[in-house]
Amino acid sequence: MTAGDPILERWQERVRAAHAARTPLAIRGGGTKAFYGEPVAGEPFDTREYAGIVDYEPTELVVTVRAGTLLADVERALASEGQMLAFEPPHFAPGATVGGTVAAGLSGPRRPYAGAVRDHMLGVRIVDGRGEALAFGGRVMKNVAGFDVTRLMTGALGTLGIVAEASIKCLPVPRVEATRAFEVSADEGIRRVNEWGGKPLPLSASCFAGGRLLVRLSGAAAAVESAIAKLGGEAVAEGAAFWASVRDHAHPFFASARDGAPVWRLSVRSTAPYADLGGETLIEWGGALRWLVAPRADAAKLRAWAWANGGHATLFSAQERAASALHPLPGPLAGLHARLRAEFDPRGILNPGRMGAVA
Amino acid sequence: MLPPSVHAQLAAILPGEALLTAPEATRPYECDGLTLFRELPAAVALPDTEAQVVAILRACHAARVPVVARGAGTGLSGGAMPHKDGVVLSLAKFRRILAIDPLARTAVVQPGVRNLAISEAAAAHNLYYAPDPSSQIACTIAGNVAENAGGVHCLKYGLTVHNVRRVRGVTIEGEVVEFGNEALDAPGYDLLALINGSEGLLAVITEITVKLTPKPQFAQVALAAFATIEAAGEAVGKVIAEGIIPGGLELMDQAATRAVEQFVHANYPLDAAAILLVESDGTPEEVSAEMADIKRVLTDSGATEIRVSKDEAQRLLFWSGRKAAFPAAGRISPDYYCIDGTIPRKALSGVLHKIAEWSAEYGLRVANVFHAGDGNLHPLILYDANVPGEADKTIAFGDRILDLCIEVGGTVTGEHGVGVEKLRGACNQFAPAELERFLGIKRAFDPHALLNPGKAVPTLARCAEFGRMHVHGGELKHAELPRY
Ligand SMILES: Cc1cc2nc3c(=O)[nH]c(=O)nc-3n(C[C@H](O)[C@H](O)[C@H](O)COP(=O)(O)OP(=O)(O)OC[C@H]3O[C@@H](n4cnc5c(N)ncnc54)[C@H](O)[C@@H]3O)c2cc1C
């Protein structure tokens, strides 16, 4: 770890003191994902002072960024070189930081085709619960030295360490993107995206809502054109704005959620049949992600349905919590989680309770 | 020797032919693909049901007997090398493909299934399993998961960790655990990522769900010749800079092309100092557009000759030399030692230049053949173990290359794992507090350190031993750092 950075040294001191005094710390970046996970009570620990792109070399396909950097700033820097973060991370609101993106581990519409946040993570620097500054992974594409702590930190909601810096793989922006729409039933939509997913087509996103299936095609102009010829459908103008609205939950489907209605995130086998779960459903990720806005959803029933379909159900956002946010873990996994947490944060001072019973 | 009570328990769990203890029977298991390190185990167990695996682990755990899981034994870092007082737990009998779901594009397989067998089984649905290590006809999928194996097409299609959805395993305590699921993410920490590349230290893998990928409609490979290896190295960066992510991007130097030509006749240009193989795949339209770009960049980078495969037979011919490179090294030299560092692409030509210089200094030939697109080097040091001192010289040369990889911002292992071989490298690469966290992860899964002990993560005491060795050699690196 680069010794001597004054901000990081201050972070280390602060965590050491919190460790000594058993003071819980509530880590935050831009606060755009504060609704996600369980609420945390603790002294606010704001990462935004540690900001800036440390290194970006387009030919290496890697950007190294401090946690407090605005996601938008990173995306702009990459775009100026014709590159992007292929996992299409949600912002949800202005102010999203890279640290929060990594800690939340949420990916956007391109995820099933390009991979998730964790798939693009090459290295992290963290401050763990003892106040130690540690580096894992690196800035190269392939690295199997040591356990994969980089990916372990991704999506851990800060409970294993404060993400201070991340090295992330970047990819070229597709030359051409086009969005096509199809009028279909939910079941038909699920079937089609799965069938197309098994063909060599340049799919890069899908979204079914209100009887319409939209798919995005990305790649070389000729490839996108020949895919359009095969798939048909009608052209959708303003495709970029549409996918950004799905990514950030600005799509009209989420309108009642903005007034506090609970949003459930059901991550399941892509071929799981459509089910009436007591509310409107929006289906992304080639069928593998189902959003449900359901004021009176039965948590136990949803969790049972998601589990039976190979996945899990998260109470993603809600004004009032009628259930735990995260899907409960089966016994042996819960034990492993608790022991891992104890190794990285023995006194449980980093975002205690953010992952619910898990950490 | 196993404690008699443990032997009795294993004998009760397994049929007679599935428990080996006589040295002549356990000899085939004494090493993996890295023959520099050997050890005879106390016993080899060959279960064929998960219930047997659970029972074996419980018995070994209770008696504190070390267990080393083993797939095909093709590993190149000594990861599956036995423990002298331990049991080698071979998963070789778990060879069944349990299910293929063509619509969801997944396959559920047993741990001992060979990598290539998955693609063969999926071929009927026009699908395949993307990671393709050169050892794919022999290596097992669990061995791939344990090493997070890579292959020629990983630049575009990802490593093992990117292509595995779910791993079912048994902890040393005999508890069955599932990491990941059938969805694209799972609740809690990403333990699935932790299992990938865990080198048999965290759990014994008994079932795996892999992601299948649609077969590209069409693929073409360009073979480009260069007058210097540095020029070939620079061309690699230029291809990427152009916004092209080739299906494969491999480099072979003259020593490697000449070695393979002797027995595969790939018709490589043998007067070239180095060649690049650059593959484009996708729809025919995509490939033709991308190939035009690739050819332009290679020409601008000083390629002296470019051949593009005209048909599938020629494409396979171009690749045949690359695929045969390791065995070819084995033919032109009694022994070879494969190094596996990864470096930033920009450091390629500098590092290759240094390796050539040191090759002359040590008087040991080197053939370079590697995954240039991801900066993953494989210098093959050619040596003769029967010449006194040559193995030691080879290891010293290899260590020096790995130190250089760390210095230029890379890592000591891109895909073969730390095993026993790169413990010293891991001591150099990680600070003590980082190693301590790795050991903490190990403790969380295996408090008594019984699964593959002594591999992958060096203890601080072990690093101190290496430190002293260093002082002996008079080449103490990073003298400013604290020693433990
Ligand atoms: C000619 C040749 C070419 C190669 N090319 C490549 C390449 O291109 N890319 C690449 O990445 N590697 C390559 N390798 C290295 C090797 O093939 C891979 O590391 C492979 O993944 C090992 O698989 P295996 O079944 O042989 O595992 P083994 O060698 O038997 O074991 C490897 C490790 O996995 C652990 N393990 C095995 N099975 C299990 C299980 N069921 N549960 C838990 N742990 C387990 C072992 O304990 C050990 O630590 C090559 C090797 C050779 C000999």
Side-chain angles (χ1 to χ4, degrees), chain B residues 69 71-75 79 91 133-135 140 142-144 146-147 149-150 199-200 203 205 415:
Chain B
T74 68
L91 285 301
S134 311
S135 51
T140 67
N144 291 172
E147 301 288 8
E199 302 195 27
I205 298 163
E415 59 180 18

Side-chain angles (χ1 to χ4, degrees), chain B residues 14-67:
Chain B
L14 296 165
E17 73 282 1
L19 181 62
L20 318 174
T21 50
E24 59 279 13
T26 59
R27 180 82 57 203
Y29 298 87
E30 69 177 350
C31 64
D32 63 6
L34 177 63
T35 52
L36 274 166
F37 301 92
R38 296 167 196 264
E39 188 85 76
L40 276 183
V44 176
L46 294 136
D48 61 6
T49 68
E50 188 184 75
Q52 290 173 344
V53 172
V54 168
I56 293 167
L57 289 171
R58 289 214 171 118
C60 291
H61 178 248
R64 304 286 186 260
V65 170
V67 176

Side-chain angles (χ1 to χ4, degrees), chain A residues 298-331:
Chain A
D298 178 342
K301 221 172 76 186
L302 286 181
R303 294 216 146 113
W305 180 81
W307 195 258
N309 284 288
H312 61 114
T314 308
L315 177 51
F316 194 70
S317 65
Q319 206 136 64
E320 277 161 43
R321 285 283 156 88
S324 65
L326 303 178
H327 201 108
L329 298 175

Side-chain angles (χ1 to χ4, degrees), chain B residues 306-449:
Chain B
I306 301 173
R307 300 181 207 157
V308 177
S309 61
K310 292 197 180 61
D311 51 32
E312 191 59 11
Q314 198 179 29
R315 185 181 78 88
L316 296 176
L317 180 70
F318 284 3
W319 278 117
S320 66
R322 168 62 186 90
K323 297 225 162 175
F326 287 20
R331 290 227 193 159
I332 60 162
S333 168
D335 301 282
Y336 71 90
Y337 182 35
C338 173
I339 310 295
D340 175 44
T342 303
I343 56 172
R345 273 178 289 261
K346 66 181 171 199
L348 266 181
S349 31
V351 169
L352 292 173
H353 189 80
K354 269 275 177 245
I355 294 174
E357 227 176 81
W358 291 339
S359 163
E361 188 183 319
Y362 285 95
L364 292 168
R365 288 178 300 158
V366 173
N368 278 293
V369 35
F370 62 92
H371 314 301
D374 3 64
N376 187 192
L377 303 176
H378 286 331
L380 305 175
I381 305 176
L382 310 180
Y383 73 103
D384 184 347
N386 288 325
V387 174
E390 211 160 281
D392 289 341
K393 214 161 60 162
T394 301
I395 293 176
F397 184 6
D399 281 350
R400 207 159 157 196
I401 297 173
L402 294 181
D403 288 348
L404 181 61
C405 290
I406 301 176
E407 249 165 66
V408 301
T411 174
V412 294
T413 174
E415 59 180 18
H416 296 164
V418 171
V420 281
E421 177 211 9
K422 287 178 283 267
L423 290 170
R424 178 193 157 282
C427 293
N428 282 352
Q429 188 166 331
F430 296 103
E434 290 151 7
L435 292 173
E436 185 44 50
R437 287 311 163 278
F438 290 150
L439 295 168
I441 292 171
K442 172 70 169 161
R443 272 193 299 274
F445 283 80
D446 176 16
H448 302 289

Side-chain angles (χ1 to χ4, degrees), chain A residues 207 209 242 245-246 248-255 258 282:
Chain A
C207 174
F242 173 80
S245 79
V246 173
D248 287 332
H249 291 190
H251 185 281
F253 170 85
F254 295 99
R258 284 192 287 278
L282 181 144

